[in-house]
Amino acid sequence: NFRSCGAEMNRTARFYHSGETSDLAIVLEHLGHTQPAIPLGVLGFSLGGNVLLKYLGEQGQGTLVRAAVAISVPYDLAICAREMSRGTPQVYAKFFLRSLREKTRAKRKLLEGYCDVDRALAARTVREFDEALTAPLHGFADSAAYYQASSAGPYLSGVRVPALLIHALDDPIVPAGSIPRDLIAANPMLSTAFTERGGHVGFITGTAPWSVRFWAEETGAGFLALHLR
């Protein structure tokens, strides 16, 4: 869970942050300390996949993770924020913003003084919300700086463990043109499973509702099983 996404609201002036890797690092270090004999594999979806790949790129060979899978990753957050402000993705963006506003109201007393809460509550796009709240709260000059620093794409060259990247070319939020194919191809640790269809974190196959299968989850689990023997 990102900050503010758990069953209980977090109690500090921190919020939903697409590039925050320190929380993931704490969890992995705890697991490595308490269960040192068990190999660690991590699977991340969407922004969770962004955090995962950024973390692996930052850590290089210093990570406890043995293998990873990242599904429907927004490799360039600025492009994805733009896509969410138009067309079909606006439906998801409205739902996402409604959730962010509710959490902002719940944390208002903690957030005041760090950012313009009223401006954040009035935001009509994800980028406007990040400009008003996410960026200043977490020490970024503006949303552009936040997106640039938090996007996983530039960190792919530093990944030093086997990682499978699953992505649908019809993803409405993460356009195919934003996938950093050159960076991926240049790193032998990265494998790809790019499909023509699947949407954003979709990849449902079989016959609904009797025999639905979740292809991405099955493929990701198989990849981890192969590398965690």
Side-chain angles (χ1 to χ4, degrees), residues 28-225:
L28 293 174
E29 289 167 7
H30 173 74
L31 291 173
H33 176 72
T34 57
Q35 305 288 342
I38 300 177
L40 285 175
V42 185
L43 191 151
F45 293 83
S46 193
L47 287 175
N50 182 79
V51 168
L52 170 59
L53 292 177
K54 181 173 179 283
Y55 165 81
L56 294 175
E58 291 170 344
Q59 296 294 313
Q61 295 179 336
T63 179
L64 295 173
V65 176
R66 289 262 299 273
V69 178
I71 299 173
S72 299
V73 172
Y75 298 97
D76 187 320
L77 294 171
I79 291 176
C80 296
R82 182 192 68 199
E83 292 299 307
M84 290 176 66
S85 68
R86 59 192 185 187
T88 302
Q90 289 183 92
V91 176
Y92 173 76
K94 289 179 180 178
F95 173 81
F96 187 35
L97 278 170
R98 184 164 64 248
S99 172
L100 291 175
R101 290 190 196 101
E102 290 174 358
K103 294 170 183 177
T104 300
R105 293 188 186 99
K107 288 177 65 75
R108 182 168 192 133
K109 290 184 179 180
L110 276 172
L111 298 174
E112 287 177 341
Y114 294 95
C115 58
D116 189 335
V117 176
D118 289 331
R119 183 184 172 200
L121 291 172
R124 300 181 63 183
T125 67
V126 171
R127 182 152 199 158
E128 287 179 5
F129 183 89
D130 288 336
E131 186 78 23
L133 189 148
T134 315
L137 179 62
H138 299 104
F140 297 98
D142 52 27
S143 60
Y146 163 59
Y147 293 149
Q148 182 177 12
S150 302
S151 296
Y155 292 89
L156 293 176
S157 60
V159 177
R160 291 293 179 269
V161 299
L164 175 64
L165 313 181
I166 297 177
H167 200 94
L169 300 182
D170 69 346
D171 190 319
I173 296 175
V174 188
S178 69
I179 301 173
R181 294 175 182 268
D182 291 345
L183 289 174
I184 294 171
N187 188 341
M189 289 294 178
L190 302 178
S191 302
T192 60
F194 293 164
T195 63
E196 291 296 324
R197 300 176 61 190
H200 187 69
V201 197
F203 308 100
I204 299 172
T205 187
T207 305
W210 301 278
S211 59
V212 172
R213 293 176 57 195
F214 298 92
W215 176 83
E217 286 88 337
E218 292 179 1
T219 302
F223 181 86
L224 292 179

Side-chain angles (χ1 to χ4, degrees), residues 1-18:
N1 284 328
F2 285 91
R3 300 287 183 105
S4 79
C5 292
E8 180 181 347
M9 183 60 68
N10 64 306
R11 302 178 186 181
T12 60
R14 302 284 290 176
F15 207 68
Y16 203 105
H17 184 337
S18 302

